[in-house]
């Protein structure tokens, strides 16, 4: 953590102030004069699932049209990337522009003030709210590649040319299809009486046919990874490039013109959960500053097509208010803050019983 030098006049002012902003960040924590703390700002993690698709042509791909009447089969290896999912996760980080000090006296003199590791106020006389952690993406296990040649008949393997092998493989595929149909209709000589055994035989024939067809159609493998882009909005934006996607190599920097641009709009909806109001001077003594976040709309676009839209609250689009010091000084008061926005989640005081 960086250390800051505070001039003596400013230090004197911050000590005698019971609850006011500190213009130069101090080291957060309890001091003999009070407690120094920060409030958070809200950043957004744009979670992208990027799929890498790799196509490899089959050994008989150039004979697909001749023997199977399939046109347009690619004969060169090809790698493409696409985005298959979008998500937005809000996260709270320390806002160095919101550093405050509060002197504790009266009932608050022994208050338990809990700060995060980087000095953000989490709770007073209470347990901090639990931070919701997004589960990282776990790709599905990849299937083991199938060796198509293991299903080729001896006749195919002994053929004298690739063209002849392709022709005989098509005949083998047709024989598999015919056998499958006869099993289903009950006309095959080897139809088992057990239904489960029959299904196993059909599944095996399907597997063989798919493997042999891949020698003409090629194979495609898919690998999906999660990539995270952190966004820290401070104001409204319109069609700002947030990242680019190059279909051949994946995500690239937003300044890399080889990629297709993806844009974001951030709209301030000018809505908060509370209205801003003035606090009388006699109630500022010993109070805690908290955030009142504002609601924004985040939109992700490609060209003019809207891909995703999110409505969220962000600390920096609202304002800061002071929770009256009289409450903390007169009673043991329990308060927890939202770790993402710095707003009050719960607050109550232990009132004396009569």
């Amino acid at each position: 953590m960086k250390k800051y030098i505070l001039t003596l006049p400013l230090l004197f002012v911050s000590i005698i102030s019971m609850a006011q902003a500190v213009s130069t960040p101090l080291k957060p924590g309890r001091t003999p004069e009070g407690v120094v703390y920060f409030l958070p700002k809200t950043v957004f993690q744009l979670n992208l699932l990027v799929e890498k698709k790799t196509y490899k042509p089959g050994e008989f791909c150039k004979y697909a049209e001749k023997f199977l009447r399939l046109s347009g089969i690619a004969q060169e290896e090809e790698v493409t990337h696409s985005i298959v999912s979008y998500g937005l996760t809000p996260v709270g980080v320390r806002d160095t522009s919101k550093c405050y000090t509060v002197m504790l006296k009266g009932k608050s003199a022994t208050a338990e003030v809990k700060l995060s590791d980087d000095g953000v106020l989490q709770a007073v006389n209470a347990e901090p709210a639990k931070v919701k952690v997004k589960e990282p993406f776990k790709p599905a296990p990849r299937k083991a590649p199938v060796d198509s040649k293991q299903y080729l008949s001896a006749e195919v393997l002994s053929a004298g040319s690739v063209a002849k092998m392709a022709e005989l493989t098509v005949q083998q595929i047709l024989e598999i299809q015919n056998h499958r149909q006869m099993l289903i209709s009950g006309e095959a000589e080897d139809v088992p009486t057990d239904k489960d055994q029959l299904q196993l035989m059909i599944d095996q024939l399907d597997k063989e046919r798919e493997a042999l067809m891949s020698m003409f159609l090629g194979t495609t493998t898919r690998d999906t990874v999660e990539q995270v882009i952190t966004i820290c909005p401070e104001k409204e934006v319109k069609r700002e490039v947030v990242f680019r996607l190059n279909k051949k190599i994946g995500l690239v920097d937003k300044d890399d013109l080889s990629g297709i641009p993806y844009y974001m709009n951030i709209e301030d909806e000018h809505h908060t959960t509370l209205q801003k109001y003035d606090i009388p001077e006699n109630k500022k003594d010993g109070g805690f500053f908290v955030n009142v976040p504002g609601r924004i709309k985040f939109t992700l676009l490609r060209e003019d097509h809207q891909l995703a839209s999110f409505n969220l609250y962000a600390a920096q689009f609202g304002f800061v208010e002071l929770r009256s010091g009289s409450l903390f000084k007169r009673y043991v008061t329990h308060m927890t803050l939202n770790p993402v926005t710095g707003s009050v989640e719960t607050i109550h005081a232990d009132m004396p019983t009569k």
Side-chain angles (χ1 to χ4, degrees):
M1 182 179 293
K2 294 182 179 179
K3 295 182 178 179
Y4 299 87
I5 299 175
L6 191 68
T7 60
L8 286 177
L10 182 56
L11 179 60
F12 178 73
V13 171
S14 67
I15 289 175
I16 64 172
S17 300
M18 301 308 178
Q20 70 172 42
V22 179
S23 59
T24 303
L26 295 170
K27 184 176 180 180
R30 188 181 287 269
T31 69
E33 295 78 20
V35 175
V36 176
Y37 64 92
F38 292 87
L39 292 178
K41 69 168 57 175
T42 308
V43 302
F44 301 105
Q45 294 179 341
L46 182 59
N47 308 97
L48 305 174
L49 291 187
V50 183
E51 181 184 76
K52 177 184 177 183
K53 186 164 61 176
T54 305
Y55 166 80
K56 292 186 177 181
E59 189 173 338
F60 304 147
C61 62
K62 64 180 180 180
Y63 300 104
E65 185 169 6
K66 180 179 180 180
F67 295 126
L68 293 172
R69 297 182 181 179
L70 297 174
S71 60
I73 303 300
Q75 299 183 26
E76 299 291 336
E77 183 172 330
E78 186 179 38
V79 176
T80 57
H81 293 77
S82 62
I83 299 174
V84 296
S85 179
Y86 316 88
L88 199 67
T89 305
V91 178
V93 299
R94 185 173 75 173
D95 189 341
T96 55
S97 70
K98 295 179 181 178
C99 181
Y100 301 94
T101 184
V102 57
M103 287 190 66
L104 304 177
K105 59 183 180 179
K107 292 288 185 180
S108 67
T110 58
E112 186 180 9
V113 180
K114 295 188 177 180
L115 308 179
S116 66
D117 291 340
D118 55 355
V120 174
L121 180 63
Q122 294 181 314
V124 179
N125 295 322
E127 288 301 313
K130 291 185 178 180
V131 179
K132 296 179 181 179
V133 179
K134 180 185 176 297
E135 290 291 331
F137 171 73
K138 293 182 180 179
R142 183 191 290 186
K143 293 181 180 180
V146 177
D147 180 8
S148 301
K149 290 185 177 181
Q150 67 176 311
Y151 298 109
L152 294 175
S153 66
E155 185 181 8
V156 174
L157 292 172
S158 62
S161 67
V162 175
K164 187 62 176 178
M165 291 179 70
E167 183 180 3
L168 293 173
T169 300
V170 171
Q171 292 180 15
Q172 187 177 340
I173 291 171
L174 294 175
E175 290 172 1
I176 290 173
Q177 292 178 172
N178 185 54
H179 187 197
R180 184 184 190 279
Q181 184 58 39
M182 292 180 70
L183 282 173
I184 293 174
S185 64
E187 298 174 7
E189 295 180 357
D190 57 345
V191 177
T193 56
D194 183 76
K195 290 184 178 180
D196 291 338
Q197 184 62 33
L198 174 61
Q199 188 60 52
L200 286 174
M201 291 179 67
I202 292 173
D203 291 344
Q204 181 60 31
L205 290 174
D206 289 342
K207 183 178 180 181
E208 292 178 17
R209 180 186 180 281
E210 184 179 351
L212 295 177
M213 285 294 294
S214 71
M215 300 189 76
F216 295 91
L217 302 177
T219 58
T220 300
T221 57
R222 290 175 170 83
D223 295 290
T224 304
V225 297
E226 182 178 40
Q227 294 188 270
V228 179
I229 297 173
T230 300
I231 302 166
C232 184
E234 299 289 348
K235 60 182 180 180
E236 291 185 303
V237 297
K238 186 76 172 177
R239 290 185 66 81
E240 180 177 309
V241 177
V242 61
F243 67 90
R244 291 177 183 264
L245 178 72
N246 183 303
K247 288 188 176 181
K248 292 188 178 297
I249 62 177
L251 287 189
V252 295
D253 189 81
K254 64 181 181 179
D255 297 324
D256 188 337
L257 300 183
S258 71
I260 299 171
Y262 285 68
Y263 302 97
M264 68 175 178
N265 292 340
I266 295 178
E267 178 185 352
D268 186 350
E269 297 190 332
H270 302 287
H271 173 82
T272 64
T273 56
L274 295 174
Q275 296 297 316
K276 193 171 185 178
Y277 58 92
D278 292 328
I279 300 289
E281 288 298 324
N282 64 346
K283 292 188 177 181
K284 292 184 178 180
D285 185 3
F288 286 87
F289 283 101
V290 297
N291 284 330
V292 178
R295 191 171 66 193
I296 66 170
K297 181 178 181 180
F298 178 98
T299 307
L300 183 67
L301 309 100
R302 184 183 63 237
E303 297 179 344
D304 292 324
H305 178 59
Q306 179 176 309
L307 302 174
S309 180
F310 307 89
N311 291 91
L312 314 100
Y313 281 91
Q316 57 272 33
F317 284 83
F319 56 88
V320 174
E321 72 160 358
L322 181 69
R323 285 301 169 114
S324 174
S326 59
L327 181 65
F328 291 90
K329 288 187 297 181
R330 294 177 60 188
Y331 311 104
V332 176
T333 302
H334 309 270
M335 181 175 71
T336 60
L337 301 187
N338 184 295
V340 173
T341 64
S343 62
V344 175
E345 283 206 341
T346 63
I347 183 169
H348 68 273
D350 293 339
M351 299 295 186
T353 57
K354 295 183 180 180

